Amino acid sequence: MESAMETGHARVPEALASEKTKKGSKTRSRRRWRKGKAKASRLTNTMDLRTMTQSLVTLAEDNMAFFSSQGPGETARRLWDVFAGIREQALGLEPPLGHLLGKAHLFDLDAETPANGFRSLVHTARCCLAHLLHKSRYVAANRRSIFFRTSHNLAELEAYLAALTQLRALAYYAQRLLDTNQPGRLFFEGDERLIADFLREYVTLHKGCFYGRCLGFQFTPAIRPFLQTISIGLVSFGEHYKRNETGLGVTASSLFTSGRFAIDPELRGAEFERITQNLDVHFWKAFWNITEIEVLSDSKELSSLVKSEGPRSLELRPRPQQAPRSRSLVVHIHGGGFVAQTSKSHEPYLKSWAQELGAPILSIDYSLAPEAPFPRALEECFYAYCWAVKHCALLGSTGERICLAGDSAGGNLCFTVSLRAAAYGVRVPDGIMAAYPATMLQSTASPSRLLSLMDPLLPLSVLSKCVSAYAGGETEDHSDSDQKALGMMGLVRRDTALLLRDLRLNASSWLNSFLELSKHKAHTNLVPVVEPMRRSVSEAALAQPEGPLGTDSLKSLTLHDLSLKGSSETSENPELSLSAETLASSTPSDVNFLLQSEGTVEAAKAQEEMSTKDRSRGVGAAFPEGFHPRRSSQGATRIPLYSSPIAKNPFMSPLLAPDSMLQSLPPVHIVACALDPMLDDSVMFARRLRSLGQPVTLRVVEDLPHGFLSLAALCRETRQAAALCVERIRLILAPPDPPAAAAPV
């Protein structure tokens, strides 16, 4: 009996050992496959564009020859078709990419910072070519094997072929921008009708291929599982939203484990595209709020992403009650497209920052659009900043060094709060650290904005809806699909929120106008009789006296109008605010940096002739004969904000601020992402500051998406990028000592 028991006990470990051996073998095999893929990726990255294209074409032709000899079967025919398509698109993509590479250096900030939207688009296309090259090699090496998964490889090849086709269309669009714009100017400079045509054409392109199997292919591999989890949660939440649940009763498990979207990438991509094109900003606001409040607390998968790694805890270390106050203070403004999120979602990295910097951090929660459009967020952030400057002692700081820090929309607010501080004589911060900021909120085209076609976090339609909400463009004009998506109770909640918003803004506007009028009782003629409901202190500071262009504020002028305002326009009112004085004394080149400073009339005529010629050609003329990109099955997306005058307000789009306003900014440190649709905002803003002699640094991180600070604990690359932001803040709080003067001999 004992021997039987011993024998039985001996057999169990053997079985377990055998099972572990099998699992270990599978794990090692999977690891070897990943290493081989990574090695292939590194090899393709070292290849120049022509060599990569030729290698891909050679492999495609070899696979075409093989599958054409496999008989008339449907699968063999589809494989032949996909490799024929890869060959055609690769050959067609090489010339425009080469053209972009040859001119991309003209748009860099400097030789040490080779980054702009043209480079990013070429890099993204190379990533797609590299993946197809690796997959084509795999097919060529394994197509005769009985273990070759034909259906899986065919589906992946077809998905990446669709992505390559759309990238070729983007390359032609970028080439059109390159030929139209002046060297160094990344944003489209055609007239607004051509911009509208360009955007209307662009948004008809098919996008679902980038949200299925190809999701996040351009980013570092560690990011892709997170993006897949978010995309599954998004499309699942879209189903709940259609049933008028709007997030009520939605659990993390039901949101992120929807089976059919997890196992069917094509279905997920099509649903993702439908959601991004058809649902309004209220949906995105609800989804982002759900991910912040419920999912991060309930989902083990996502909560693990925001926890710090290693022995360091996110909790602040206890300090003695009599500890001296810090010399520094960081005032933080969170992102979220002006419509979502709070400081809570940014707490993980902010707590880490506070420990590393040894400084208190005040994170501002401001009112969100569309219920509180511009300039409500700016006013609240400016008020909170002023309070922090005055009450540093209550925050545990002496206030000797103050840094403004923010990401995305928060970066925009950091710049505009500093401009407001300078305009009203408030102490400006000692420096600004802005991570992937938005500095141009006007709907226009740029090479990096083209990346929004494939960005799962910042699709163009979502960007435009957020900007429209912040600009006050969200009205009751909703499509039938939106009405059905909201449902009756959703409509009631939305309309009630809009009513309360109008009442609140009307009261705030009346109070601000009253305060302005009390300061200038003797100059009531400067205030228009009919004021916009959302006029505030910021907009009142931009009021101009009667002139050739009328009495409307600067926010109602076009770029061409601004180019006609010269330094001859002087203010007769000595009591105008600093903003009005600086704007009134600006030269044409100060205000309108997008146009030539010399020969304004001739340049305007030439641009009008070029725009007329472009309109006669049509935007679709950017494509060569015979090339037809894939179109969206969802129809054209409505871009709600083509050229809203308020988007040109310098306090909304700081990139459009005149030189005299930008010269009031403190040292600026920008950390941007190479694959971010907002990259060109950072590059152009840094170029403007550099041209004015303002201290500015720009660091561009590779292979990471917009919003990497919220993913700081996800992987090594995001941790390094977050550490770079801390380093920039440290430069502001503890600037290096100036070199000591040499002792006299």
Side-chain angles (χ1 to χ4, degrees):
M1 189 175 200
E2 290 180 1
S3 61
M5 292 179 62
E6 290 174 1
T7 304
H9 281 292
R11 288 173 181 172
V12 172
E14 288 178 3
L16 290 175
S18 177
E19 185 67 24
K20 289 181 179 178
T21 302
K22 291 180 181 178
K23 291 182 178 179
S25 178
K26 291 181 180 179
T27 302
R28 287 191 296 271
S29 177
R30 195 178 301 114
R31 192 180 296 120
R32 283 194 299 269
W33 181 83
R34 289 175 180 172
K35 287 183 178 180
K37 185 175 180 180
K39 182 179 179 181
S41 178
R42 288 193 297 270
L43 288 174
T44 52
N45 286 336
T46 60
M47 300 168 63
D48 60 31
L49 183 62
R50 175 157 297 181
T51 303
M52 181 184 293
T53 303
Q54 290 176 347
S55 300
L56 181 58
V57 169
T58 301
L59 281 168
E61 291 175 344
D62 177 67
N63 283 313
M64 288 168 61
F66 174 82
F67 289 111
S68 65
S69 64
Q70 298 302 303
E74 176 67 17
T75 301
R77 184 192 61 79
R78 288 177 60 188
L79 283 166
W80 187 93
D81 288 341
V82 74
F83 281 109
I86 290 172
R87 178 183 181 278
E88 177 187 356
Q89 300 305 330
L91 289 173
L93 185 58
E94 182 189 348
L97 289 184
H99 181 60
L100 296 179
L101 274 179
K103 299 291 183 66
H105 67 279
L106 300 175
F107 301 86
D108 295 332
L109 174 65
D110 50 42
E112 288 72 33
T113 315
N116 57 66
F118 292 116
R119 292 185 182 275
S120 299
L121 186 59
V122 173
H123 174 77
T124 303
R126 281 178 58 90
C127 288
C128 189
L129 288 170
H131 186 90
L132 283 170
L133 183 57
H134 172 71
K135 179 57 66 174
S136 299
R137 285 172 177 165
Y138 176 82
V139 172
N142 296 276
R143 61 199 179 194
R144 297 180 184 276
S145 172
I146 60 174
F147 299 106
F148 181 69
R149 296 190 297 166
T150 305
S151 59
H152 168 77
N153 288 284
L154 176 60
E156 190 164 352
L157 285 167
E158 288 177 338
Y160 276 89
L161 172 59
L164 191 68
T165 304
Q166 303 307 85
L167 283 167
R168 184 181 172 189
L170 296 186
Y172 288 130
Y173 282 138
Q175 187 172 336
R176 184 78 180 278
L177 292 174
L178 184 64
D179 296 338
T180 303
N181 293 351
Q182 296 295 325
R185 298 171 185 176
L186 290 167
F187 287 100
F188 191 79
E189 300 175 28
D191 74 7
E192 294 178 350
R193 288 170 293 180
L194 187 58
I195 292 176
D197 292 341
F198 188 96
L199 293 174
R200 197 177 296 116
E201 166 79 10
Y202 167 74
V203 297
T204 64
L205 293 177
H206 169 64
K207 311 164 191 65
C209 60
F210 295 110
Y211 304 140
R213 295 179 186 272
C214 304
L215 181 69
F217 73 93
Q218 69 272 37
F219 301 126
T220 183
I223 297 290
R224 296 172 196 167
F226 170 80
L227 295 178
Q228 183 175 1
T229 303
I230 290 295
S231 65
I232 294 172
L234 175 67
V235 295
S236 301
F237 183 75
E239 288 195 329
H240 292 289
Y241 195 83
K242 285 190 296 183
R243 295 196 296 265
N244 194 31
E245 295 182 16
T246 60
L248 299 177
V250 180
T251 63
S253 58
S254 66
L255 197 61
F256 287 90
T257 57
S258 180
R260 63 195 188 101
F261 291 126
I263 64 177
D264 192 339
E266 282 73 27
L267 177 64
R268 184 173 69 245
E271 182 67 7
F272 199 113
E273 182 177 11
R274 186 197 69 80
I275 288 174
T276 57
Q277 295 204 190
N278 295 328
L279 296 185
D280 62 11
V281 72
H282 299 279
F283 165 81
W284 295 97
K285 188 183 187 77
F287 175 71
W288 288 333
N289 287 339
I290 283 290
T291 57
E292 175 175 309
I293 297 172
E294 182 178 349
V295 173
L296 291 182
S297 60
D298 292 347
S299 173
K300 294 180 180 179
E301 292 81 4
L302 290 183
S303 61
S304 64
L305 299 178
V306 297
K307 292 181 180 178
S308 64
E309 298 181 359
R312 185 181 63 206
S313 171
L314 289 179
E315 297 299 327
L316 292 174
R317 294 189 298 268
R319 295 186 178 184
Q321 293 183 355
Q322 302 300 323
R325 293 196 299 268
S326 172
R327 296 176 59 252
S328 306
L329 175 66
V330 177
V331 179
H332 172 265
I333 306 177
H334 69 81
F338 303 101
V339 302
Q341 294 193 334
T342 66
S343 59
K344 180 178 180 180
S345 58
H346 297 252
E347 277 185 8
Y349 71 82
L350 289 179
K351 290 180 179 180
S352 177
W353 285 8
Q355 291 184 8
E356 294 181 38
L357 297 169
I361 298 179
L362 173 67
S363 187
I364 303 173
D365 280 330
Y366 51 89
S367 298
L368 301 171
E371 292 77 14
F374 175 86
R376 180 68 176 273
L378 170 59
E379 301 289 350
E380 292 180 354
C381 291
F382 178 62
Y383 178 87
Y385 170 77
C386 293
W387 183 91
V389 170
K390 186 176 181 180
H391 300 91
C392 287
L394 298 178
L395 301 173
S397 172
T398 62
E400 296 179 43
R401 303 289 298 182
I402 298 179
C403 171
L404 263 178
D407 68 304
S408 192
N412 174 287
L413 290 169
C414 286
F415 294 136
T416 55
V417 164
S418 186
L419 292 174
R420 280 288 308 276
Y424 284 92
V426 177
R427 171 188 172 180
V428 297
D430 295 286
I432 297 173
M433 194 291 295
Y436 38 87
T439 63
M440 167 70 91
L441 299 190
Q442 185 181 359
S443 287
T444 186
S446 84
S448 74
R449 297 284 173 91
L450 297 177
L451 296 174
S452 63
L453 185 78
M454 68 198 73
D455 196 293
L457 301 176
L458 288 179
L460 177 64
S461 58
V462 178
L463 282 175
S464 62
K465 289 166 187 173
C466 291
V467 172
S468 178
Y470 186 50
E474 283 292 316
T475 65
E476 289 76 11
D477 182 20
H478 295 270
S479 64
D480 294 338
S481 60
D482 293 337
Q483 304 277 358
K484 294 177 182 178
L486 283 172
M488 182 56 66
M489 292 305 298
L491 289 171
V492 170
R493 284 192 293 269
R494 186 201 67 197
D495 293 339
T496 302
L498 291 174
L499 175 62
L500 293 176
R501 180 202 70 181
D502 292 342
L503 292 174
R504 183 169 59 250
L505 291 173
N506 198 20
S508 175
S509 173
W510 177 85
L511 178 60
N512 285 325
S513 299
F514 175 79
L515 293 175
E516 276 300 300
L517 289 172
S518 65
K519 295 179 183 179
H520 308 292
K521 291 182 179 179
H523 305 279
T524 55
N525 61 317
L526 294 179
V527 182
V529 178
V530 180
E531 286 289 303
M533 184 174 65
R534 291 187 291 106
R535 180 179 171 84
S536 68
V537 178
S538 291
E539 295 173 273
L542 291 171
Q544 296 288 333
E546 182 71 24
L549 295 176
T551 59
D552 197 7
S553 66
L554 182 65
K555 69 183 180 63
S556 64
L557 303 180
T558 64
L559 291 176
H560 180 65
D561 295 332
L562 291 176
S563 69
L564 300 178
K565 296 181 71 64
S567 58
S568 61
E569 298 181 27
T570 57
S571 173
E572 298 178 359
N573 181 11
E575 297 185 15
L576 280 176
S577 68
L578 179 60
S579 292
E581 292 176 4
T582 55
L583 287 175
S585 61
S586 299
T587 63
S589 60
D590 287 337
V591 178
N592 185 10
F593 73 97
L594 291 175
L595 297 180
Q596 296 286 351
S597 58
E598 298 180 359
T600 304
V601 177
E602 290 78 3
K605 290 181 179 179
Q607 189 171 3
E608 177 63 25
E609 292 175 0
M610 181 185 65
S611 299
T612 303
K613 181 180 179 181
D614 287 340
R615 283 197 301 274
S616 65
R617 290 177 57 201
V619 178
F623 300 146
E625 184 178 357
F627 172 71
H628 302 286
R630 305 191 183 197
R631 298 294 175 179
S632 173
S633 61
Q634 300 296 327
T637 303
R638 182 178 66 91
I639 297 294
L641 187 70
Y642 283 125
S643 56
S644 174
I646 201 173
K648 300 175 182 129
N649 189 321
F651 289 111
M652 186 174 183
S653 295
L655 183 59
L656 299 179
D659 292 353
S660 53
M661 289 181 68
L662 293 182
Q663 286 171 339
S664 68
L665 287 176
V668 171
H669 300 279
I670 301 175
V671 180
C673 308
L675 302 178
D676 183 2
M678 294 292 184
L679 171 64
D680 290 338
D681 295 54
S682 297
V683 175
M684 286 301 300
F685 197 70
R687 287 176 66 95
R688 284 211 65 198
L689 294 177
R690 179 74 59 84
S691 68
L692 297 174
Q694 290 289 103
V696 59
T697 66
L698 172 65
R699 292 291 300 273
V700 181
V701 298
E702 303 289 338
D703 302 331
L704 292 181
H706 184 94
F708 65 76
L709 279 177
S710 298
L711 310 176
L714 185 60
C715 61
R716 175 177 54 85
E717 292 85 355
T718 54
R719 289 193 293 272
Q720 291 175 345
L724 180 59
C725 294
V726 175
E727 176 192 331
R728 302 290 98 176
I729 296 176
R730 188 174 283 114
L731 287 177
I732 297 171
L733 300 181
D737 296 329
V745 180

